[in-house]
Amino acid sequence: MSASRTEPAVASPCVSICALDGDDVCVGCFRTGREISYWGRLTPAWQREVLARCQRRMDGDPAPCAVAVAELT
């Protein structure tokens, strides 16, 4: 899960509206609290996975936290 040195990091989706809802999802960027706190330690591949899950959440799908899934692999 640690960042790769061969692949550039993905830009953070933060929009400076930092407030977590009752499901622990930021109302600004749609990342979970864990995804936010682990962002800089994720590989670029996992960062892209987080962005995909954020899009799913924006579309109304309760996508599970990518960090919890990454820790299992």
Side-chain angles (χ1 to χ4, degrees):
M1 184 168 45
S2 63
S4 168
R5 299 290 178 226
T6 59
E7 227 179 319
V10 176
S12 170
C14 180
V15 294
S16 298
I17 303 173
C18 306
L20 299 176
D21 66 14
D23 293 322
D24 194 42
V25 174
C26 178
V27 299
C29 68
F30 289 87
R31 290 180 292 170
T32 66
R34 290 183 80 193
E35 290 167 344
I36 292 167
S37 63
Y38 278 76
W39 181 261
R41 293 179 272 175
L42 296 173
T43 64
W46 276 108
Q47 289 173 337
R48 287 189 295 277
E49 177 62 28
V50 168
L51 294 179
R53 289 168 191 251
C54 290
Q55 184 60 55
R56 287 173 49 194
R57 293 180 193 121
M58 283 186 244
D59 294 338
D61 180 7
C65 176
V67 173
V69 174
E71 290 175 340
L72 296 174
T73 60

